Amino acid sequence: MAPSIRRSDARPRARRGDGDSQGGSDMSGAQLYDTIGAAYTATRRTEPRIAVQIWAALGGARTVLNVGAGTGSYEPPDRDVTAVEPSALMRAQRPAGAAPCVAAAAESLPFEEQSFDAAMAFATVHHWQDPIAGLREMRRVARRVVVFTHDTSDTGWRRRFWLTRDYLPEVADLLVGRPSLTELARAIGARIEPVLVPWDCADGFFEAYWRRPEAYLDEQVRRGVSVWTRVGPEPEQRAVRSLRDDLVSGRWAERNRDLVALDAAELGLRLLVA
Ligand SMILES: C[S@@+](CC[C@H](N)C(=O)[O-])C[C@H]1O[C@@H](n2cnc3c(N)ncnc32)[C@H](O)[C@@H]1O
């Protein structure tokens, strides 16, 4: 069934800046991806083990809305998908034959109530100007909502992930003023499931290389993750220098020797299912 369009004038509004105190990016999520998005497909793609968890959470949904869809990762191939993506650069990189994509933002979805069996959002909520409004919109247009995000309030996670703990503490500044996971879940009445990150995760998101530290020295890997742009060039270069030194000296291996035996890590990534 074709989704019923309500309005097509949705535009992302300017976003309260995050990262600006670090000399980093102060743009809306869509503007940011119109700037950095060209590097995305080099390292970002569907991780099959995480996809299995997401597609199971979609249940029997036949029509699925993918909000903040980017280039189309995690869109289930066996269902009727409609994508929503505000960045023109990201829309332009959707592969031939990908699901149809509407130019709109999560906070103002141009669809009627209950237009879809399910709405999903992967690694995008932290870019929205108003995450709670966006989640409520998903709830409005779909009977089921599945959201992959991270637990911003979990200081234990930030201490546990060596990249933020030892090299890039500025990540904490990006989280200031953002709703907690509990607030996000409460907004749509969601349950929360942990999502483990496999050691060889195919999707190069920020936490993906937790057991492959050399990857973060690669400029191409960093350009596929907005965090590095958001913190700004000075913290980025300092973190990379410091990590390189610790890899050469053996300090990283010494500090993180317990990771080598793990096949998957709990790094605060979560699925909200409502
Ligand atoms: C990290 S990418 C994730 C893309 C895709 N979901 C994936 O898993 O590869 C974040 C996406 O969120 C989009 N975005 C930013 N602000 C948004 C908003 N207000 N509403 C919907 N999407 C937004 C960006 O343009 C970008 O494509």
Side-chain angles (χ1 to χ4, degrees), residues 164-209:
T164 47
R165 183 192 63 211
D166 301 333
Y167 302 98
L168 205 60
E170 288 84 355
V171 168
D173 299 329
L174 305 182
L175 306 176
V176 173
R178 304 300 289 171
S180 69
L181 187 77
T182 313
E183 288 167 327
L184 295 177
R186 200 181 295 133
I188 50 171
R191 69 168 197 272
I192 300 172
E193 287 179 14
V195 180
L196 299 184
V197 186
W199 76 271
D200 54 351
C201 184
D203 188 355
F205 51 72
F206 184 62
E207 298 85 353
Y209 305 95

Side-chain angles (χ1 to χ4, degrees), residues 12 29-30 33 40 44 66-74 84-87 90 104-107 122-124 126-129 203:
Y33 274 89
Y40 201 77
R44 302 298 298 270
N66 185 21
V67 180
T71 56
S73 297
Y74 301 94
V84 158
E85 169 53 53
S87 157
M90 295 300 272
E107 294 87 345
F122 191 97
T124 175
H126 56 292
H127 290 295
W128 300 354
Q129 187 215 0
D203 188 355

Side-chain angles (χ1 to χ4, degrees), residues 19-43:
D20 44 355
S21 61
Q22 304 302 316
S25 157
D26 185 18
M27 308 176 183
S28 77
Q31 287 169 332
L32 179 66
Y33 274 89
D34 274 338
T35 308
I36 68 171
Y40 201 77
T41 54
T43 55

Side-chain angles (χ1 to χ4, degrees), residues 89-106:
L89 182 54
M90 295 300 272
R91 288 196 305 276
Q93 295 179 90
R94 292 177 63 79
C101 189
V102 177

